[in-house]
Amino acid sequence: MKNLQPIPSKSLKKATVISLEKGKIPPQAVELEEAVLGAMMIDKKGVDDVIDILHPEAFYKESHQFIYEAIYTLFQNSEPTDLLTVANQLRKTGHLELAGGDFYLVGLTQKVSSSAHIEFHARIILQKYIQRKLISISSEIIEESYDETVDVFDLLDSAETKLFEVTQGNLKKGSEDAQGLVNQAIKKIQEISNKQGMSGIATGFTRLDELTSGWQPSDLVILAARPGMGKTAFVMSMAKNMAIDFDEPVAIFSLEMSSVQLITRMISSETGISSGKLRKGNLEPHEWEQLNVKVKNLSKAPIFIDDTPSLSIFDLRAKARRLASQHGIKIIIIDYLQLMTAGSSQKGGGNREQEISTISRNLKALAKELSIPVIALSQLSRAVETRGGSKRPLLSDLRESGAIEQDADIVSFIYRPEYYGLTEWDDEERTPCEGQAEFIVAKHRNGGLDNIRLKFTGHLAQFSNLDEDYGNEFHSKMNSAISQSQIPSAEDAFGAPDNFDDNDVPF
């Protein structure tokens, strides 16, 4: 016992400092939590400013979580929020002592004099919560990664779902005032005037561009057809037009075909050499020369292809954000929707219709987030084949989920009568339909409906304007207007007031 010596206070203090320096404290902003709660109890405006930003779990101290929960309950019940009502609500739930008692509540209200800067403070609190949540999720992932009994793909799905929930639950966009929105609208009208009514991304298909004014930012476009109708051929023709003719960066997510197969189709369409010859490599000398010359434009085109199979919606969002920030993509094409997964960790526990519904809802959210059009190909049910007559597809033929029709801004179909052995269109003139297809716009949230006939060249897997002269004239005028960058008068852009018609509005 005589060898035991008391530890000097100086040494003890030094040891404490060392342990704190080596330790880690979770991200927190307790002083800001106190300021926010105090401001909410003395100023109703403070409650209105942050009630849709924070939730109880965002607070680091448990006592603060109880206090905020009481304030939130009072707000939901349209009751006044002040020191007395909050204390009374905490008594009702039996959490007053856990929240620190009356004395602590009084102290919170004395720390602030107004709700100034409360929204800024609330967003810092939310950032600290997100950091803590990410640390927690990362720790769980690390722990599960050491467990040899856990399937690695289940682990990936679980990680995706947890991170996606953090994003969905905490990143919210605020409202905008009329003045800012009016300024944005005027700027957009000027841009549209520059492009002679082409407010979106031009497809290169003349009559379709006239109907839609191009694919619009934040729109979800569904293109559906039965297998073999040419869905992939259509979007590949369209992507080539966009990237080569209009220099618009295009992202293609192909879940069915490899990236080399897709680019081979584009090469066939661009060079006029059949895809069969390209697959076999059986080319004549002049075709080799033709291939080397015409493929140069395609090789320089801003086209980005990702052929990851069974792509989840979480992976798609991550990849799309990266392409948008690094390459400024202006449109996303997905081939096709039914091959995607929702990324849920619950295997077999969900309904396929619910999964498709989740995917379509998130595709629409992605289009809005990046402010670019998203085009998703989709399959049609076999009900088309069992119908008599022309077998032209209907909205009710969309496969697996009515939510696709609900979420989409445009629902369209590809229809080729030749596929069913028909030789004439079902119109009054009974015109021949050989080498032709129909692009059917069956739903258009912001415009009219139409059945647009196109030329289909099977051996090249290529769609083009049925009336090439008309199409070339229209798009040459549009390119000329863009290059000149001249803003016409309101009368030139939209017509004289007496002749104004709602259908002329380019939105």
Side-chain angles (χ1 to χ4, degrees):
M1 296 293 294
K2 65 180 179 179
N3 293 328
L4 294 175
Q5 299 293 331
I7 299 174
S9 59
K10 187 174 181 181
S11 301
L12 184 62
K13 184 177 180 182
K14 185 176 181 182
T16 304
V17 171
I18 290 172
S19 64
L20 284 174
E21 286 175 352
K22 290 184 177 180
K24 290 182 179 179
I25 302 174
Q28 56 185 284
V30 175
E31 290 183 356
L32 291 181
E33 291 180 11
E34 293 172 349
V36 166
L37 292 173
M40 293 178 82
M41 285 189 285
I42 67 170
D43 190 349
K44 182 182 182 301
K45 183 179 179 297
V47 179
D48 296 335
D49 286 345
V50 304
I51 201 71
D52 63 337
I53 298 174
L54 296 176
H55 47 85
E57 293 78 15
F59 290 85
Y60 180 70
K61 286 187 69 173
E62 187 180 30
S63 60
H64 293 170
Q65 293 179 10
F66 289 128
I67 296 169
Y68 185 81
E69 191 172 2
I71 293 172
Y72 190 83
T73 302
L74 291 169
F75 177 83
Q76 281 187 316
N77 296 333
S78 301
E79 296 177 8
T81 305
D82 57 34
L83 179 61
L84 295 177
T85 56
V86 172
N88 187 53
Q89 178 63 30
L90 287 166
R91 282 193 192 92
K92 284 182 182 178
T93 58
H95 293 150
L96 181 59
E97 294 306 317
L98 293 173
D102 291 320
F103 183 76
Y104 187 72
L105 294 179
V106 171
L108 290 177
T109 60
Q110 291 177 342
K111 287 180 181 291
V112 291
S113 57
S114 73
S115 62
H117 312 303
I118 187 172
E119 185 177 347
F120 183 75
H121 295 160
R123 295 198 181 279
I124 295 175
I125 293 170
L126 184 63
Q127 288 171 19
K128 299 298 180 184
Y129 164 74
I130 293 173
Q131 287 177 277
R132 294 197 302 273
K133 194 70 178 172
L134 290 174
I135 291 169
S136 173
I137 291 170
S138 301
S139 300
E140 291 175 13
I141 293 170
I142 291 169
E143 189 71 26
E144 291 173 356
S145 296
Y146 280 106
D147 188 350
E148 295 291 342
T149 64
V150 177
D151 183 82
V152 67
F153 295 106
D154 286 342
L155 182 60
L156 277 172
D157 279 345
S158 174
E160 288 174 3
T161 303
K162 289 173 182 175
L163 288 170
F164 187 69
E165 286 172 356
V166 172
T167 304
Q168 290 292 90
N170 295 287
L171 301 182
K172 301 174 183 176
K173 185 180 177 182
S175 57
E176 299 178 71
D177 60 22
Q179 183 179 0
L181 292 171
V182 167
N183 290 336
Q184 289 180 39
I186 291 173
K187 184 178 179 182
K188 186 172 182 65
I189 291 169
Q190 290 175 338
E191 292 173 355
I192 295 168
S193 300
N194 254 349
K195 300 178 182 179
Q196 290 193 344
M198 189 58 56
S199 55
I201 307 297
T203 65
F205 299 114
T206 311
R207 299 193 187 281
L208 178 58
D209 287 339
E210 287 183 329
L211 178 68
T212 62
S213 295
W215 299 133
Q216 300 298 309
S218 77
D219 271 7
L220 173 60
V221 180
I222 298 295
L223 174 57
R226 289 293 294 155
M229 278 291 174
K231 297 186 300 295
T232 304
F234 178 83
V235 292
M236 288 301 103
S237 298
M238 184 175 66
K240 181 181 71 70
N241 294 343
M242 292 172 173
I244 295 178
D245 297 344
F246 306 115
D247 198 32
E248 300 284 8
V250 180
I252 302 169
F253 293 92
S254 175
L255 288 81
E256 187 175 33
M257 298 176 66
S258 72
S259 53
V260 175
Q261 286 175 320
L262 288 180
I263 208 70
T264 302
R265 281 196 174 198
M266 286 189 169
I267 291 172
S268 174
S269 177
E270 182 69 6
T271 61
I273 303 171
S274 71
S275 54
K277 279 194 169 186
L278 291 174
R279 278 197 303 271
K280 296 175 183 177
N282 186 23
L283 274 64
E284 301 294 332
H286 72 277
E287 289 176 324
W288 280 110
E289 186 178 348
Q290 186 178 342
L291 175 66
N292 292 326
V293 171
K294 290 195 173 183
V295 82
K296 289 179 181 177
N297 288 335
L298 182 60
S299 64
K300 296 175 184 176
I303 298 172
F304 306 90
I305 301 176
D306 185 309
D307 60 359
T308 305
S310 301
L311 190 67
S312 73
I313 189 65
F314 180 89
D315 287 335
L316 175 70
R317 288 174 75 114
K319 290 170 181 282
R321 288 191 191 109
R322 197 176 305 121
L323 285 167
S325 62
Q326 294 177 358
H327 303 289
I329 57 168
K330 295 297 178 64
I331 188 167
I332 292 172
I333 297 171
I334 300 160
D335 184 14
Y336 58 92
L337 189 148
Q338 277 81 10
L339 291 179
M340 291 187 67
T341 64
S344 173
S345 58
Q346 296 178 351
K347 298 292 183 185
N351 182 299
R352 180 57 182 167
E353 272 197 21
Q354 293 174 349
E355 190 174 12
I356 293 293
S357 175
T358 299
I359 293 168
S360 67
R361 187 168 61 250
N362 280 282
L363 288 178
K364 175 59 181 175
L366 177 63
K368 288 187 69 177
E369 178 189 337
L370 299 181
S371 191
I372 60 175
V374 172
I375 299 177
L377 305 192
S378 177
Q379 293 282 23
L380 290 178
S381 68
R382 291 191 180 92
V384 180
E385 311 293 341
T386 60
R387 267 202 307 270
S390 66
K391 302 184 187 296
R392 185 177 269 101
L394 305 171
L395 284 172
S396 57
D397 296 323
L398 280 172
R399 187 176 170 185
E400 287 185 309
S401 178
I404 297 176
E405 179 186 345
Q406 179 183 327
D407 294 327
D409 296 279
I410 295 176
V411 178
S412 55
F413 303 112
I414 294 286
Y415 169 64
R416 291 194 297 113
E418 275 188 299
Y419 181 85
Y420 297 109
L422 303 175
T423 58
E424 296 176 334
W425 288 106
D426 55 348
D427 53 17
E428 293 181 2
E429 294 81 11
R430 310 301 295 181
T431 52
C433 62
E434 183 182 356
Q436 295 182 23
E438 202 169 55
F439 187 90
I440 303 169
V441 180
K443 176 193 174 182
H444 191 186
R445 185 166 284 160
N446 302 306
L449 309 179
D450 200 0
N451 296 347
I452 299 163
R453 291 183 187 173
L454 300 170
K455 181 180 178 182
F456 177 69
T457 309
H459 69 283
L460 299 179
Q462 180 190 54
F463 283 80
S464 55
N465 289 305
L466 192 57
D467 186 350
E468 287 292 350
D469 294 334
Y470 177 75
N472 291 335
E473 181 185 351
F474 175 82
H475 286 293
S476 65
K477 284 183 179 179
M478 191 184 73
N479 287 333
S480 175
I482 294 172
S483 63
Q484 291 173 10
S485 297
Q486 294 177 346
I487 302 175
S489 66
E491 185 173 331
D492 290 337
F494 302 110
D498 291 340
N499 299 325
F500 187 80
D501 182 6
D502 286 344
N503 293 326
D504 294 331
V505 180
F507 295 96

